[in-house]
Amino acid sequence: MTQEPQDDQSRPISRWAPPSDVPPAGQSSPDDLVDDERDTAEVPLPGMPRPAVAPVPAADTAPLPPLVPPPPPGGSLPGFDAPPASPPPSSPTRTDSSPRRRIPGPIWALAAAVAFLLGVLGGYAGGVLEDQDDMSSLAGGGLDPGSIETDAPLEGDDASIVKVAATLLPSTVQIFAEYQGVEDAATGSGFVFDRNGHVVTNNHVVADAAKAKGSIEVVDHKGRRYKADVIGRSAVYDLAVLNVPEVKELEPASLGSTSRLRIGEGVVAIGSPLGLSSTVTSGIVSALQRPVSTGQTEDDTSYINAVQTDAAINPGNSGGPLVNLVGQVIGVNSAIATAGGGEGGEGGSIGVGFAIPIDQVKVTAAQILKTGKATYPIVGASVDVQAVDHNGALISVVEAGSPAAAGGLKDGDRVTKVGDVTVTDGIGMIVAIRAHQPGETVEFTVMRNGARHELKIKLEAQTENLA
């Protein structure tokens, strides 16, 4: 048996605990929220954004990648440390020495205008084709392409936060779930995923209710309440899909693509922070492919290849949509970083929030809708998640007969790259692996005895079996 990652209690991380007394929908008050365990930094209430944290959890080794759900109420979250995003490739340098004709100003201006127009149309067409290809590739996996909306509801030159809010609020819901036997004790957010009555939210919003077969209800923007059932959930990716037949009358949110996001792009977070339904905040994409680990035990830890944003995300926003300025969902709000540690530490948004990329949401939702379960990729190795030298991920144990062993990975290897993603530590490696799908063959760059090696490892599928 390999050792699972444990929590580092010294890290300034937090999640929110559910309130002990929960007022009716629409009347929640921040004063009603209490911490489940005040010896940890703030903790997202089930259904509230789980604070994600500072770098590195505290176990010696962690199975790579381990089966770990998001942090439970009252637990602290291990940290994260992300490699900087790879710089875009530089423009090719012209090498020919032949003289160039000078283009007259008016002609050049016309050519530039035409090129710009073609670029805009080409970008839009490329985006549409990419979305269509993405949906068709998932069609056999549980998604009904006819029930999914991918077209941007707003034009780029007509976009505004006001219009984004008006478009997405009718597709966003508040969620109330039973927690430790108390109805409506866990609150969060979600959004209408398709026209078949399915709602997407975070696993940690409904996990306790799902285990106990407790009640779950969703509330739309007009205050109407609907009964919901869990179709399936993933602790690994912190996602859950609910069946809410009565929301078929609600317009589904349009699903975008994380692959086209740019750092600095404007985004809007929608949800029910602190029980305040239909709340809208805005900001920018602060970073992409940010490795974030949340949770404290094997049963409640998730690793997210997150979209980082400075849009205010607070307890209750968990599961709600992060939206671009043309009205497409590009992420599911899931975690926040906090500045305080221990009792009396600062809670709430400090401008560092994390969302699960919508591309991963589509894949996991398709799996759940087809089989009721989610799968994730593994290599069959354990990695040191405590090392803080940022020189790569140190492999502690390679299991015999595993994909890692078949690919040539050895105990003591230091992985510095997974595919085209630079890896600086164990958590970064786990997240990079989980950004791929089972069955893919991925190149691993490793350092062994001072020499660099390129290994090809075929990822194996592991199915989550959650109650």
Side-chain angles (χ1 to χ4, degrees), residues 161-309:
I161 295 171
V162 172
K163 291 184 177 180
V164 170
T167 301
L168 267 295
L169 279 171
S171 302
T172 305
V173 298
Q174 185 174 18
I175 297 175
F176 289 92
E178 185 175 312
Y179 180 74
Q180 295 185 349
V182 181
E183 285 192 11
D184 294 357
T187 67
S189 305
F191 62 93
V192 181
F193 184 70
D194 59 20
R195 294 185 176 86
N196 295 328
H198 299 136
V199 167
V200 165
T201 186
N202 282 144
N203 173 60
H204 73 263
V205 174
V206 298
D208 195 79
K211 293 176 191 175
K213 301 190 184 308
S215 65
I216 302 173
E217 291 188 325
V218 303
V219 183
D220 68 15
H221 67 298
K222 293 183 178 179
R224 295 172 296 194
R225 294 177 76 108
Y226 310 96
K227 293 289 184 182
D229 297 307
V230 177
I231 296 175
R233 55 195 184 91
S234 167
V236 167
Y237 294 111
D238 194 16
L239 292 168
V241 180
L242 308 181
N243 184 39
V244 195
E246 293 178 275
V247 301
K248 288 182 180 178
E249 63 186 74
L250 301 181
E251 186 67 20
S254 176
L255 307 181
S257 176
T258 316
S259 63
R260 295 199 302 277
L261 277 182
R262 297 168 299 172
I263 294 174
E265 183 176 336
V267 289
V268 176
I270 304 176
S272 303
L274 305 176
L276 303 173
S277 62
S278 300
T279 295
V280 175
T281 59
S282 65
I284 63 169
V285 173
S286 304
L288 295 169
Q289 297 183 331
R290 179 73 77 192
V292 175
S293 170
T294 63
Q296 64 176 353
T297 72
E298 171 185 0
D299 295 324
D300 69 1
T301 303
S302 58
Y303 294 104
I304 303 170
N305 194 31
V307 176
Q308 181 181 328
T309 180

Side-chain angles (χ1 to χ4, degrees), residues 17-407:
S20 55
D21 294 305
V22 181
Q27 298 181 24
S28 299
S29 165
D31 294 335
D32 293 327
L33 295 173
V34 298
D35 290 338
D36 189 31
E37 291 181 13
R38 291 189 177 274
D39 60 340
T40 62
E42 59 159 317
V43 178
L45 189 158
M48 307 214 148
R50 312 176 303 178
V53 281
V56 281
D60 292 335
T61 60
L64 182 58
L67 171 62
V68 281
S76 66
L77 312 174
F80 66 89
D81 188 13
S86 303
S90 56
S91 302
T93 304
R94 183 182 177 91
T95 56
D96 65 288
S97 57
S98 56
R100 308 184 203 179
R101 285 187 59 191
R102 182 176 180 82
I103 302 176
I107 298 177
W108 175 255
L110 176 60
V114 171
F116 173 76
L117 178 60
L118 290 176
V120 170
L121 293 177
Y124 175 74
V128 170
L129 289 174
E130 180 177 330
D131 285 339
Q132 290 174 345
D133 289 344
D134 187 24
M135 287 297 102
S136 60
S137 67
L138 295 173
L143 293 187
D144 173 7
S147 72
I148 301 291
E149 184 60 60
T150 59
D151 292 340
L154 302 173
E155 297 289 340
D157 57 359
D158 192 35
S160 70
I161 295 171
V162 172
K163 291 184 177 180
V164 170
T167 301
L168 267 295
L169 279 171
S171 302
T172 305
V173 298
Q174 185 174 18
I175 297 175
F176 289 92
E178 185 175 312
Y179 180 74
Q180 295 185 349
V182 181
E183 285 192 11
D184 294 357
T187 67
S189 305
F191 62 93
V192 181
F193 184 70
D194 59 20
R195 294 185 176 86
N196 295 328
H198 299 136
V199 167
V200 165
T201 186
N202 282 144
N203 173 60
H204 73 263
V205 174
V206 298
D208 195 79
K211 293 176 191 175
K213 301 190 184 308
S215 65
I216 302 173
E217 291 188 325
V218 303
V219 183
D220 68 15
H221 67 298
K222 293 183 178 179
R224 295 172 296 194
R225 294 177 76 108
Y226 310 96
K227 293 289 184 182
D229 297 307
V230 177
I231 296 175
R233 55 195 184 91
S234 167
V236 167
Y237 294 111
D238 194 16
L239 292 168
V241 180
L242 308 181
N243 184 39
V244 195
E246 293 178 275
V247 301
K248 288 182 180 178
E249 63 186 74
L250 301 181
E251 186 67 20
S254 176
L255 307 181
S257 176
T258 316
S259 63
R260 295 199 302 277
L261 277 182
R262 297 168 299 172
I263 294 174
E265 183 176 336
V267 289
V268 176
I270 304 176
S272 303
L274 305 176
L276 303 173
S277 62
S278 300
T279 295
V280 175
T281 59
S282 65
I284 63 169
V285 173
S286 304
L288 295 169
Q289 297 183 331
R290 179 73 77 192
V292 175
S293 170
T294 63
Q296 64 176 353
T297 72
E298 171 185 0
D299 295 324
D300 69 1
T301 303
S302 58
Y303 294 104
I304 303 170
N305 194 31
V307 176
Q308 181 181 328
T309 180
D310 66 350
I313 297 174
N314 285 289
N317 272 117
S318 283
L322 185 67
V323 186
N324 62 22
L325 294 185
V326 291
Q328 294 173 304
V329 178
I330 50 86
V332 175
N333 300 318
S334 181
I336 55 175
T338 56
E343 185 174 358
E346 265 186 77
S349 173
I350 58 170
V352 184
F354 304 99
I356 304 161
I358 194 63
D359 293 346
Q360 181 61 58
V361 176
K362 294 174 190 174
V363 171
T364 301
Q367 293 171 348
I368 289 173
L369 289 172
K370 183 176 183 179
T371 68
K373 299 178 181 180
T375 62
Y376 62 98
I378 61 171
V379 298
S382 295
V383 61
D384 185 347
V385 294
Q386 189 177 18
V388 292
D389 55 13
H390 304 298
N391 291 324
L394 181 63
I395 301 299
S396 54
V397 177
V398 175
E399 299 172 7
S402 67

